[in-house]
Amino acid sequence: MTTATVSPVETPRSLKSRILGAPSAGPLLVLIGFCLIFALSNPRFLATHNLSIILQQTVIIGVLAIGQTLVILTAGIDLAVGAICVLGTIVAGKLVNLGYDPVLSMGFAILLCTAAGLAAGGLVSGLRLPPFIVTLGMLGILTAALRLISEGGAFPVRDPFLAWTGNTMKLGGFVLTYGVLIMFALYAIVWYLLNQTKWGRHVYAIGNNTEAARLVGIPVRRHLLSVYLLAGLIYGIAAWLALGRIPNADPNAMQSANLDSITAVVIGGTSLFGGRGGLIGTLIGALIVGVLRNGLTLAGIDPLWQDLVTGILVIIAVALDQMSRRKS
């Protein structure tokens, strides 16, 4: 006599526990909380026009944070994200202004950003140098190179193709740029790579324990190299989005991009110690930064105080991550 096995039915309590236990649940609650506070304090906050502006302002940091997430998941950190992105804007703008084809110019600029990521990855994986030192050195090299290429000054970039990502479309009451749609597409693609492929599982394994990953047969050096290469490619795409947002190539732009991208990643629940977190949390973290700055601006708060509040949030997020690691 055989007895049929009945699969356990998920109760509302267990479903609730799973939802609240998700890594992105905390950041999502923080985002909702900030939205409620700003909506109650200023009726303009929830206007579709203002929400559209928040999304548009989140695009560049949101995309840069994708590459930063990949690096941080491997227990590294990238201090050159802003400089690599500016490299793309300067090179593309310079070539177009010299009369070269805009599509080829932008393609070459993205390729150059990818090469910069590849160079950093080669030093980290090949020579086993600390990512902090490598990317800090890359930041200094690129900062000097950008000023040499641009001859020390900013210049306008008026080509329609380079500005295409800033074109708008209406979706209901929202006015979205093509850059916003590209940002969401990039999140979907990289999320799939991280969560549905062997490559993504290896990225998490390397971040959790590099030596253990090597012992089980994961080609650690090759995977680290691929992570930095993909990050560089994403920074290059962010350069195109930046030209669509502000049609101006400035070697002194994005001074706070490194900190802002790390802020989005950390607030979104990705551990600075590697191996924990994901892109959904990063997107929420980028939106938190955008909502916070927009809400405080509507309230008339000085930008210096906005930076102070953002810094406090980063410290709290890292402290909570450290405590959770000690408990586990």
Side-chain angles (χ1 to χ4, degrees):
M1 179 178 179
T2 59
T3 58
T5 59
V6 180
S7 59
V9 178
E10 189 171 40
T11 64
R13 183 183 294 273
S14 63
L15 179 61
K16 179 181 177 182
S17 300
R18 283 184 59 188
I19 294 173
L20 293 178
S24 56
L28 181 59
L29 291 175
V30 172
L31 177 61
I32 293 172
F34 277 136
C35 288
L36 288 174
I37 292 171
F38 292 131
L40 292 173
S41 61
N42 193 320
R44 290 185 297 162
F45 178 79
L46 288 180
T48 54
H49 174 70
N50 187 60
L51 295 177
S52 299
I53 290 175
I54 292 174
L55 281 176
Q56 293 170 31
Q57 292 175 337
T58 304
V59 164
I60 300 171
I61 294 302
V63 171
L64 291 177
I66 298 175
Q68 189 73 261
T69 300
L70 294 173
V71 174
I72 289 178
L73 281 175
T74 63
I77 197 163
D78 196 340
L79 300 179
V81 293
I84 295 176
C85 182
V86 174
L87 173 67
T89 64
I90 293 291
V91 170
K94 187 87 171 180
L95 290 175
V96 167
N97 286 356
L98 289 173
Y100 290 95
D101 181 78
V103 177
L104 293 179
S105 298
M106 193 70 246
F108 179 74
I110 293 174
L111 185 63
L112 203 57
C113 293
T114 306
L118 183 64
L123 293 171
V124 171
S125 62
L127 299 181
R128 298 184 180 180
L129 298 178
F132 179 89
I133 298 300
V134 170
T135 56
L136 182 62
M138 186 71 72
L139 171 63
I141 293 169
L142 289 177
T143 300
L146 290 171
R147 289 173 181 168
L148 289 171
I149 295 171
S150 64
E151 300 176 353
F155 53 90
V157 182
R158 299 188 178 91
D159 182 78
F161 176 77
L162 297 188
W164 176 81
T165 59
N167 292 346
T168 59
M169 61 175 292
K170 284 193 174 183
L171 188 64
F174 286 89
V175 178
L176 301 177
T177 63
Y178 292 123
V180 172
L181 301 181
I182 292 172
M183 178 184 73
F184 285 129
L186 286 173
Y187 269 94
I189 292 168
V190 181
W191 178 90
Y192 178 84
L193 290 175
L194 278 176
N195 294 276
Q196 303 296 324
T197 67
K198 184 171 67 174
W199 179 86
R201 291 191 291 273
H202 288 176
V203 169
Y204 280 99
I206 292 169
N208 272 315
N209 191 318
T210 303
E211 185 59 22
R214 186 185 67 80
L215 291 174
V216 298
I218 295 174
V220 173
R221 292 187 181 184
R222 191 171 68 197
H223 269 75
L224 279 175
L225 191 63
S226 69
V227 164
Y228 282 87
L229 184 147
L230 179 57
L233 173 63
I234 291 169
Y235 303 152
I237 296 172
W240 190 18
L241 303 183
L243 287 172
R245 181 100 180 100
I246 303 174
N248 192 57
D250 185 355
N252 299 310
M254 301 193 197
Q255 296 285 334
S256 63
N258 301 330
L259 179 60
D260 286 346
S261 64
I262 294 170
T263 299
V265 175
V266 173
I267 291 179
T270 295
S271 173
L272 273 176
F273 306 98
R276 293 171 55 178
L279 279 182
I280 294 177
T282 295
L283 178 58
I284 295 172
L287 290 173
I288 288 174
V289 174
V291 164
L292 183 63
R293 291 189 180 277
N294 180 270
L296 292 177
T297 299
L298 288 178
I301 304 298
D302 189 280
L304 292 176
W305 287 102
Q306 297 179 26
D307 293 338
L308 185 146
V309 173
T310 303
I312 291 173
L313 282 177
V314 173
I315 294 173
I316 292 173
V318 174
L320 291 174
D321 175 58
Q322 184 80 321
M323 287 188 290
S324 70
R325 279 184 172 268
R326 288 173 182 171
K327 289 180 181 179
S328 59

